[in-house]
């Protein structure tokens, strides 16, 4: 008999307790066990009802995702659920923690549902590139109606018990222990003589305009297909008898299981969890993090301070002058009132944070008892060195000194302190209280418990933390610099910024690189180019991008950049001044004249991204390919359903990509020098994913 499903009798009730930690995923052993235990309950004399509960932190978190992509193993989940629903006994599900995907589908196979107030339900399969595949698309509309069912399954969001009860998904909400509640409720149903109530026998709702719903959801998905396919499965629930609808749902589920998008999304699911899991940090105790200092209250510093405050960490923000301090305070207050409006914090929490947890100062001495200080000052090595020298003088022993630099050498910064083992890079992305990525940059002498504290901070701030080594731009900005150069090469060869943006937005990026540049401000790149030229002693050079800035067009903030924003920030109206400037540069360099299809643009841009990513992994700047993938996903708008650049490369084939890179090298051998790691993998017939374990 199954050891995954415990069996106990309480009078007329057979209690089936799922025991598959950590989240009671519906593995083959659990499915098999449920079948066996249903047989047992039905064959035992005196049993009139079955109660299904989960042990530990959840009812059931869904199908076992580790089984996806493997040959199907009997019994299938739809068969298990149909068997539960068809039982002549009264079947009740008692839910606590999460009931997601197959977990909610099991509950919908029961005849009645009770839940604790903190329970959450959902059908998150779209986040795995799938649709619910075990009756969710057939049963949920019968219980909750089409509109609510489609909203739940196309967004994949978690729904609280109260809302689920209002939708009719949960019959009773009751505080307490799920098993005790469940037994009492089942007993009451028996005492009241309540009948079996199979959802599959409930009437179906009226039809809607299916094509309109399909198209609207497809358009919202930015290329992701699974949410729209939920519509087709729900359509089958209305148009076909139950069993045929179930078969239609299963077919869509199986078809989606075979897609690249499913592979990409599941890679993202597991990588997101693996990225902060570093073997060297096992058993290492992080240092305390009760009080953080932030130096610099611009957008970045204020964002970091906000993120820490929202995670209940006390913050002292240091600015140069009282006026600058006041402006920083205003920025943080603005961020916090945004969090209040979005319901992330209560009015009381908001006031306590502003009045108690945050202090603003102009005196370095106020950082003397901080556990960790992050500087977010001007990106200049001399300025950073001055800050770290002062911090070294005032900070307590054991305090961590962190730099938010996005490309400067952390080893050099650490060298001005007497405690390089306490120095680390913590690279946030702007706005820091919103963006999920944190690069934890480990310098040569950084102590292991300082690294552990960097990851601990990331966890407290609910970030995705990625370990990065020291190099110009670390993982993300180094790769960004390369694919941006590839985009500039395409422009000189003949593609327009608008063709490039459109091709990459079709690929799934939220914004193409030139729309992003307009958003970030074109003056940033201009300043870098001017500084680099000055350092190299180059005079009199002005490219088309410089000329745009010389004319005062810095992008969205000035109303014009690559695009003209007169019609609003989202209007993609090309600025007519740009192409003539580009044409002039092409003429001067005797370049241009080539045309590119969208596919060719994507291929070129992605080849540059993958090649640089392979160098970053090969040099140990990123530990594993998945670290690069998560960096691009959470910091650079890479489409989640493609998994990340190296997952994408594995899917499209490394040999073809290497051949492309070699062909591009005829124009610029240095830039397109193939990454040794990529050549090695192709020679060995391997994929990047073999390096993820
Ligand atoms: N299958 C296999 N493993 C799972 C899992 C699942 N459905 N859900 C979670 N896990 C694993 C995680 O990988 C993690 O493993 P490690 O500790 O080895 O990293 C462990 O369980 C704990 O998970 P989290 O770290 O994510 O814990 P959490 O408390 O932050 O979140 C959760 C718990 C809300 C359940 C979250 O894990 C989650 O959202 N899981 C996925 C739920 C889901 O997508 N279910 C639908 C599955 S598809 C389906 O059911 C198809 C169908 O219709 C038949």
């Amino acid at each position: 008999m199954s050891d995954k499903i415990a069996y106990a009798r309480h009078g007329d009730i057979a209690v089936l307790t799922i025991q598959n930690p950590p989240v009671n995923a519906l593995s083959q052993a659990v499915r098999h066990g449920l079948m066996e235990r249903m047989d047992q309950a039905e064959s035992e004399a005196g049993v009139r009802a079955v109660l299904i509960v989960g042990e530990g932190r959840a009812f059931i978190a869904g199908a076992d995702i580790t089984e996806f992509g493997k040959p199907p193993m009997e019994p299938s989940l739809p068969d298990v659920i149909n068997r539960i629903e068809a039982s002549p006994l009264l079947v009740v599900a008692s839910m606590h923690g999460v009931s997601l995907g197959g977990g909610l589908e099991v509950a919908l196979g029961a005849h009645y549902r009770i839940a604790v107030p903190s329970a959450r339900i959902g059908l998150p399969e779209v986040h795995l590139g799938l649709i619910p595949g075990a009756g969710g698309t057939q049963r949920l509309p019968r219980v909750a109606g089409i509109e609510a069912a489609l909203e739940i399954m196309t967004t994949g969001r978690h729904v609280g018990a109260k809302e689920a009860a209002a939708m009719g998904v949960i019959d009773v909400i009751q505080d307490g222990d799920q098993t005790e509640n469940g037994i009492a409720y089942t007993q009451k149903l028996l005492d009241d003589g309540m009948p079996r109530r199979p959802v599959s026998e409930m009437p179906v709702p009226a039809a809607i305009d299916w094509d309109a719903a399909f198209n609207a959801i497809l358009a919202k998905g930015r290329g992701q297909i699974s949410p729209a396919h939920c519509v087709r499965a729900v359509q089958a629930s209305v148009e076909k008898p139950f069993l045929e609808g179930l078969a239609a749902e299963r077919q869509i589920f199986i078809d989606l299981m075979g897609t690249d998008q499913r592979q990409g999304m599941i890679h993202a699911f597991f990588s997101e969890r693996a990225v902060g899991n570093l073997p060297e940090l096992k058993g290492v105790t992080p240092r305390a993090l009760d009080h953080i200092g932030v130096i610099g209250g611009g957008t970045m510093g204020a964002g970091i301070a906000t993120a820490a405050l929202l995670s209940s960490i006390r913050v002292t923000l240091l600015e140069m002058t009282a006026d600058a301090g006041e402006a920083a305070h205003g920025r943080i207050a603005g961020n916090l009132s945004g969090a209040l409006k979005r319901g992330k914090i209560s009015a009381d929490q908001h006031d306590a944070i502003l009045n108690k947890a945050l202090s603003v100062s102009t005196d370095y001495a106020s950082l003397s008892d901080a556990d960790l200080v992050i500087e977010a000052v001007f990106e200049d090595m001399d300025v950073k060195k001055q800050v770290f020298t002062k911090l070294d003088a005032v900070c307590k022993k054991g305090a961590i000194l962190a730099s938010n630099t996005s490309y400067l050498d952390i080893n050099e910064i650490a060298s001005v302190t007497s405690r390089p083992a306490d120095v680390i890079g913590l690279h946030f992305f702007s706005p820091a209280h919103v963006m999920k990525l944190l690069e934890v940059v480990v310098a040569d002498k950084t102590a292991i418990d300082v690294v552990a504290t960097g990851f601990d901070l990331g966890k407290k701030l609910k970030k995705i933390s990625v370990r990065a080594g020291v190099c110009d731009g670390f993982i993300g900005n180094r790769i960004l610099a390369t694919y941006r150069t590839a985009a500039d090469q395409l422009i000189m060869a003949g593609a327009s910024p608008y063709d490039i943006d459109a091709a990459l937005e079709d690929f799934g990026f939220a914004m193409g690189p030139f729309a992003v540049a307009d958003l970030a401000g074109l003056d940033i790149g201009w300043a870098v180019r001017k500084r680099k030229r000055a350092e190299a002693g180059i005079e009199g050079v002005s490219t088309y991008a410089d000329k745009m800035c010389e004319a005062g067009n810095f992008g969205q903030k000035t109303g014009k950049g690559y695009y003209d924003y007169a019609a609003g920030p989202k209007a993609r109206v090309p600025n007519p001044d740009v192409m003539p400037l580009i044409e002039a540069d092409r003429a001067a360099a005797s370049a241009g004249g080539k045309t590119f299809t969208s596919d060719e643009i994507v291929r070129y841009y992605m080849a540059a991204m993958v090649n640089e990513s392979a160098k970053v992994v090969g040099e140990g700047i990123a530990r594993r390919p998945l670290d690069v993938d998560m960096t691009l996903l959470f910091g650079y708008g890479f489409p989640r359903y493609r998994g990340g650049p190296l997952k994408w490369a594995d899917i499209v084939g490394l040999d073809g990509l290497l051949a492309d890179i070699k062909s591009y090298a005829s124009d610029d051998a240095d830039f397109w020098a193939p990454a040794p790691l990529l050549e090695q993998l192709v020679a060995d017939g391997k994929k990047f994913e073999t390096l993820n374990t």
Side-chain angles (χ1 to χ4, degrees):
M1 271 291 180
S2 166
D3 60 350
K4 294 284 178 194
I5 315 290
Y7 185 94
R9 278 287 296 273
H10 284 263
D12 297 344
I13 305 166
V15 181
L16 276 49
T17 306
I18 304 164
Q19 300 175 320
N20 190 26
V23 290
N24 292 332
L26 292 157
S27 64
Q28 193 269 342
V30 171
R31 299 194 303 274
H32 181 71
L34 281 169
M35 289 294 223
E36 275 190 343
R37 296 304 196 187
M38 287 302 295
D39 288 347
Q40 185 179 353
E42 286 172 15
S43 64
E44 267 185 25
V47 175
R48 293 166 60 211
V50 171
L51 170 68
I52 304 176
V53 291
E55 190 173 273
R57 54 199 253 215
F59 176 65
I60 302 170
D64 185 341
I65 301 171
T66 59
E67 288 180 359
F68 289 179
K70 297 182 184 159
M73 286 178 283
E74 294 296 317
S76 76
L77 190 56
D79 287 349
V80 174
I81 294 171
N82 287 346
R83 196 245 170 282
I84 291 172
E85 189 187 58
S87 175
L89 304 173
L90 188 83
V91 186
V92 178
S94 179
M95 297 139 84
H96 77 293
V98 290
S99 307
L100 299 175
L104 177 58
E105 291 172 308
V106 168
L108 288 168
H111 305 142
Y112 293 89
R113 287 160 290 280
I114 178 171
V116 295
S118 56
R120 286 175 290 144
I121 61 143
L123 292 173
E125 286 85 346
V126 291
H127 297 313
L128 304 172
L130 296 167
I131 64 162
T137 65
Q138 308 302 298
R139 290 192 176 91
L140 191 60
R142 286 174 157 85
V143 170
I146 291 178
E147 200 185 326
L150 272 180
E151 195 271 332
I152 288 175
M153 61 185 86
T154 57
T155 61
R157 78 182 171 96
H158 291 193
V159 178
K162 207 170 153 194
E163 191 184 347
M167 290 171 177
V169 178
I170 292 172
D171 299 299
V172 173
I173 298 180
Q174 194 175 335
D175 215 348
D177 173 79
Q178 69 272 15
T179 307
E180 284 171 20
N181 286 348
I183 292 170
Y185 177 55
T186 309
Q187 191 59 53
K188 185 171 182 319
L189 290 168
L190 288 175
D191 294 347
D192 292 351
M194 296 301 282
R196 289 171 64 258
R197 196 187 52 172
V199 173
S200 64
E201 292 171 14
M202 292 179 180
V204 290
I208 59 165
D209 183 342
W210 302 109
D211 288 349
F214 180 89
N215 290 332
I217 292 168
L218 192 64
K220 255 207 242 161
R222 272 202 207 114
Q224 198 199 339
I225 57 174
S226 59
H229 283 281
C230 293
V231 176
R232 294 301 181 212
V234 171
Q235 180 176 1
S237 82
V238 173
E239 292 178 352
K240 295 176 193 285
F242 182 76
L243 285 179
E244 282 178 35
L246 207 57
E249 171 198 80
R250 196 67 186 167
Q251 192 53 51
I252 300 173
F253 180 81
I254 289 168
D255 290 348
L256 289 170
M257 192 63 96
T259 60
D260 294 346
Q261 293 200 1
R262 192 275 300 166
Q263 278 198 55
M265 299 284 266
I266 287 187
H267 172 72
F269 177 85
F270 284 116
S271 300
E272 198 179 324
R273 286 160 175 79
V275 70
N277 224 342
L278 299 181
E280 70 265 34
L281 298 184
K282 285 237 157 65
V284 180
T285 310
R287 297 185 190 175
L289 275 178
D290 300 321
H291 177 199
I292 285 184
V294 178
I295 306 185
T299 308
M300 183 54 98
I304 296 171
T306 308
L309 290 164
L310 288 173
S311 304
S312 308
I313 300 175
R314 197 151 56 84
V315 172
T316 299
L317 186 126
L318 192 80
E319 256 299 356
M320 308 264 279
T321 63
D323 281 354
E326 208 167 296
H329 192 276
R331 272 181 211 109
I332 296 170
N335 293 341
L336 291 172
S337 68
L340 175 64
K341 264 189 220 133
R342 284 192 299 277
K344 285 193 161 183
I345 45 172
S346 67
D348 285 352
Q349 283 169 316
H350 172 267
D351 296 349
I353 291 174
L354 266 188
N355 300 331
K356 288 195 201 127
L358 170 67
S359 51
V360 176
S361 165
T362 54
D363 181 3
Y364 266 83
S366 61
L367 300 175
S368 62
D369 85 329
D371 299 313
L372 179 148
V373 181
I374 307 171
E375 65 74 18
V377 302
F378 189 61
E379 283 282 86
D380 177 276
M381 184 54 90
D382 289 337
V383 177
K384 304 271 185 199
K385 282 181 171 172
Q386 283 167 26
V387 168
F388 273 75
T389 305
K390 285 187 196 148
L391 287 177
D392 194 26
V394 301
C395 288
K396 69 181 178 190
K397 191 166 170 287
I400 295 173
L401 313 184
S403 174
N404 177 56
T405 179
S406 45
Y407 63 93
L408 293 172
D409 183 344
I410 309 283
N411 287 316
E412 195 179 335
I413 296 175
S415 72
V416 302
T417 72
S418 63
R419 39 175 136 177
D422 294 337
V423 176
I424 194 164
L426 292 175
H427 181 211
F428 288 83
F429 290 71
S430 197
H433 57 299
V434 176
M435 292 289 286
K436 292 280 276 179
L437 184 65
L438 174 65
E439 278 182 305
V440 178
V441 189
V442 180
D444 293 349
K445 293 186 179 157
T446 309
I448 191 72
D449 63 337
V450 172
V451 181
T453 315
F455 276 89
D456 189 41
L457 177 69
K459 203 168 167 187
K460 290 196 160 88
L461 270 45
K462 300 189 186 67
K463 304 282 178 211
I464 299 292
S465 308
V466 180
R467 183 196 189 282
V470 176
C471 70
D472 196 335
F474 315 126
I475 299 177
N477 280 350
R478 172 169 160 183
I479 298 170
L480 166 75
T482 304
Y483 63 76
R484 270 308 313 253
T485 302
D488 293 338
Q489 290 177 351
L490 282 168
I491 287 195
M492 285 305 279
S496 81
Y498 316 108
D499 298 336
I500 296 172
D501 276 0
L504 291 160
E505 286 167 18
D506 276 354
F507 179 80
F509 278 94
M511 294 169 99
F514 298 99
V516 170
D518 271 0
L519 179 67
L522 302 180
D523 48 327
I524 300 174
W526 189 35
V528 173
R529 290 193 296 277
K530 284 195 289 193
R531 178 172 52 79
K532 286 198 171 160
R533 285 184 203 131
E535 282 166 11
I538 298 169
E539 281 176 28
V541 174
S542 170
T543 64
Y544 81 88
D546 298 326
K547 293 202 174 72
M548 286 166 65
C549 292
E550 287 157 18
N553 294 328
F554 294 164
Q556 285 201 16
K557 62 186 167 192
T558 58
K560 264 190 198 173
Y562 286 95
Y563 298 88
D564 184 333
Y565 294 96
K570 293 215 170 130
R572 288 282 203 279
V573 181
N575 172 359
D577 302 338
V578 174
M579 284 316 293
L581 294 173
I582 290 175
E583 291 293 359
D585 275 15
R586 286 179 186 154
S590 307
K594 288 194 191 164
T595 54
F596 296 88
T597 64
S598 284
D599 282 352
E600 285 165 343
I601 289 172
V602 167
R603 192 82 184 168
Y604 194 86
Y605 190 82
M606 286 303 301
M609 193 186 297
V610 170
N611 199 36
E612 193 65 24
S613 300
K615 290 178 187 170
V616 161
V617 176
E619 291 167 24
I621 299 298
R623 275 287 170 74
R624 302 152 296 187
L626 70 85
D627 296 84
V628 170
D629 285 344
M630 294 307 100
T631 303
L632 271 291
L633 233 61
F634 289 99
Y636 297 83
F638 194 91
R640 186 180 173 92
Y641 63 80
R642 295 193 187 273
L646 296 179
K647 181 67 189 175
W648 175 85
D650 275 349
I651 290 173
V652 299
L654 301 190
D655 46 355
L657 270 174
L658 180 60
D660 282 0
I661 288 167
K662 287 183 173 162
S663 75
Y664 302 145
S666 58
D667 287 340
D668 186 340
D670 274 354
F671 181 81
W672 286 105
L677 176 63
L678 180 59
E679 293 195 298
Q680 189 63 50
L681 287 171
V682 171
D684 296 345
K686 288 189 173 157
K687 293 181 169 193
F688 283 109
E689 72 183 11
T690 57
L691 305 173
N692 275 336
T693 42

